[in-house]
Coordinates of all heavy atoms in Angstrom, one line a residue:
D1 N -104.8 195.3 106.3 CA -104.2 195.6 105.1 C -104.1 194.4 104.2 O -103.1 193.6 104.2 CB -102.7 196.2 105.3 CG -102.0 196.6 104.1 OD1 -102.6 196.4 103.0 OD2 -100.9 197.1 104.2
P2 N -105.1 194.1 103.4 CA -105.2 192.9 102.6 C -104.0 192.7 101.7 O -103.5 191.6 101.5 CB -106.5 193.1 101.8 CG -107.3 193.9 102.7 CD -106.4 194.9 103.3
Q3 N -103.4 193.8 101.1 CA -102.2 193.7 100.3 C -101.1 193.1 101.1 O -100.3 192.2 100.5 CB -101.8 195.0 99.7 CG -100.7 194.9 98.7 CD -100.4 196.2 98.0 OE1 -101.2 197.2 98.1 NE2 -99.3 196.3 97.3
S4 N -100.9 193.5 102.3 CA -99.8 192.9 103.1 C -100.0 191.5 103.4 O -99.1 190.7 103.5 CB -99.6 193.7 104.4 OG -100.6 193.4 105.4
L5 N -101.3 191.1 103.5 CA -101.6 189.7 103.8 C -101.2 188.8 102.6 O -100.7 187.7 102.8 CB -103.1 189.5 104.2 CG -103.5 190.2 105.4 CD1 -105.0 190.1 105.6 CD2 -102.8 189.5 106.6
G6 N -101.5 189.3 101.4 CA -101.1 188.5 100.2 C -99.6 188.2 100.2 O -99.1 187.1 99.9
T7 N -98.8 189.2 100.5 CA -97.3 189.1 100.6 C -96.9 188.2 101.7 O -96.1 187.3 101.6 CB -96.7 190.4 100.8 OG1 -97.0 191.3 99.7 CG2 -95.1 190.3 100.8
A8 N -97.6 188.3 102.9 CA -97.2 187.5 104.1 C -97.5 186.0 103.8 O -96.7 185.2 104.4 CB -97.9 188.0 105.3
L9 N -98.6 185.7 103.1 CA -99.0 184.3 103.0 C -98.4 183.7 101.7 O -98.8 182.5 101.4 CB -100.5 184.2 103.0 CG -101.1 184.0 104.4 CD1 -100.9 185.2 105.3 CD2 -102.6 183.8 104.3
A10 N -97.6 184.4 100.9 CA -97.1 183.8 99.7 C -96.3 182.6 99.9 O -95.4 182.5 100.8 CB -96.2 184.9 99.0
G11 N -96.7 181.5 99.2 CA -96.0 180.2 99.3 C -96.4 179.4 100.5 O -95.9 178.3 100.8
A12 N -97.5 179.9 101.3 CA -97.9 179.1 102.4 C -98.5 177.8 102.1 O -99.3 177.7 101.2 CB -98.9 179.9 103.2
E13 N -98.2 176.8 102.8 CA -98.9 175.5 102.7 C -99.9 175.4 103.9 O -101.1 175.0 103.7 CB -97.9 174.3 102.8 CG -96.9 174.3 101.7 CD -95.8 173.2 101.8 OE1 -96.1 172.3 102.7 OE2 -94.8 173.3 101.2
K14 N -99.5 175.8 105.1 CA -100.3 175.8 106.2 C -100.4 177.1 106.9 O -99.3 177.8 106.9 CB -99.9 174.7 107.3 CG -99.9 173.3 106.7 CD -99.4 172.3 107.8 CE -99.4 170.8 107.3 NZ -99.0 169.9 108.3
V15 N -101.5 177.6 107.3 CA -101.7 178.9 107.9 C -102.4 178.7 109.2 O -103.4 178.1 109.3 CB -102.5 179.8 107.0 CG1 -102.7 181.1 107.7 CG2 -101.9 180.0 105.6
L16 N -101.7 179.2 110.3 CA -102.4 179.3 111.6 C -102.9 180.7 111.7 O -102.1 181.7 111.9 CB -101.4 179.0 112.8 CG -102.0 179.2 114.1 CD1 -103.2 178.2 114.4 CD2 -100.9 179.0 115.2
L17 N -104.2 180.8 111.7 CA -104.9 182.1 111.8 C -105.3 182.3 113.3 O -106.2 181.7 113.8 CB -106.2 182.2 110.9 CG -107.1 183.4 111.2 CD1 -106.4 184.8 111.1 CD2 -108.3 183.4 110.2
I18 N -104.5 183.1 114.0 CA -104.7 183.4 115.4 C -105.7 184.5 115.5 O -105.4 185.6 114.9 CB -103.4 183.7 116.2 CG1 -102.5 182.4 116.2 CG2 -103.7 184.2 117.6 CD1 -101.2 182.7 116.9
S19 N -106.8 184.4 116.2 CA -107.8 185.4 116.3 C -107.3 186.7 116.7 O -106.5 186.8 117.6 CB -108.9 184.9 117.2 OG -109.9 185.9 117.4
G20 N -107.8 187.8 116.0 CA -107.4 189.1 116.4 C -108.0 189.6 117.7 O -108.9 188.9 118.3
S21 N -107.7 190.8 118.2 CA -108.2 191.3 119.4 C -109.1 192.5 119.2 O -109.6 193.1 120.2 CB -107.1 191.7 120.4 OG -106.2 192.6 119.8
D22 N -109.3 192.9 118.0 CA -110.2 194.1 117.7 C -111.6 193.8 117.7 O -112.2 193.5 116.6 CB -109.7 194.8 116.4 CG -108.3 195.3 116.4 OD1 -107.9 195.8 117.5 OD2 -107.6 195.3 115.4
V23 N -112.2 193.8 118.8 CA -113.7 193.4 118.9 C -114.5 194.2 118.0 O -114.4 195.5 117.9 CB -114.1 193.5 120.3 CG1 -115.6 193.1 120.5 CG2 -113.3 192.5 121.3
G24 N -115.4 193.6 117.2 CA -116.3 194.3 116.3 C -115.7 194.3 114.9 O -116.5 194.6 113.9
R25 N -114.4 194.0 114.7 CA -113.8 194.0 113.4 C -113.2 192.7 113.0 O -112.7 192.6 111.9 CB -112.7 195.1 113.4 CG -113.2 196.5 113.7 CD -112.0 197.4 114.0 NE -111.1 197.5 112.9 CZ -109.9 198.0 113.0 NH1 -109.5 198.5 114.2 NH2 -109.0 198.0 112.0
R26 N -113.4 191.7 113.8 CA -112.6 190.5 113.6 C -113.1 189.7 112.4 O -112.3 189.0 111.7 CB -112.5 189.6 114.9 CG -111.6 190.3 115.9 CD -111.5 189.5 117.1 NE -112.6 189.5 118.0 CZ -112.7 189.0 119.2 NH1 -111.6 188.4 119.7 NH2 -113.8 189.0 119.9
V27 N -114.4 189.6 112.2 CA -114.9 188.8 111.1 C -114.3 189.3 109.7 O -113.8 188.6 108.9 CB -116.4 188.8 111.0 CG1 -116.9 188.0 109.7 CG2 -117.0 188.1 112.3

């Protein structure tokens, strides 16, 4: 849900992107 990601990352200076587990969709 890209819209939720915009809200979640608002004001972020550093982001730790932990790899997802949905094989085939992660990129």
Side-chain angles (χ1 to χ4, degrees):
D1 182 355
Q3 185 174 348
S4 76
L5 294 172
T7 302
L9 271 62
E13 297 173 17
K14 299 181 180 182
V15 177
L16 175 63
L17 170 52
I18 295 178
S19 174
S21 57
D22 294 330
V23 176
R25 300 167 56 195
R26 289 185 287 190
V27 175

